[in-house]
Amino acid sequence: AGEVEILGVSLYFTAAPTMEVPSDYKNHFHSSDDLLNKIWYAAAYTVQLCTIDPAHGRQWGPPPEGWNNGILVGVGKSLLVDGAK
């Protein structure tokens, strides 16, 4: 057994590369009902998490080791996928 010291961690997050601010979305929603607004923002955030740059798709079948998220999986500037990263 031994020890491991982690000196730093970083993340390059690319969710919804063309939609950085939910209030800037086309058809932005806002009402006088605070709960309804929270529901809309939760849904908008879910879409943001599930939207990727089409050039950052995952290879299938699985590579022999590691991950390969550099596969072109669609066209255009963004692609809605079936799950959050």
Side-chain angles (χ1 to χ4, degrees), residues 22-73:
S23 61
D24 290 342
Y25 289 3
K26 290 181 182 179
N27 301 315
H28 167 69
F29 178 85
H30 185 78
S31 76
S32 59
D33 185 320
D34 190 49
L35 177 60
L36 193 54
N37 291 332
K38 288 178 182 180
I39 292 168
W40 185 89
Y41 271 95
Y45 184 68
T46 299
V47 168
Q48 193 175 37
L49 288 176
C50 296
T51 304
I52 65 169
D53 181 319
H56 293 177
R58 182 160 297 165
Q59 173 182 331
W60 188 256
E65 60 183 49
W67 295 101
N68 182 358
N69 290 340
I71 303 298
L72 183 64
V73 292

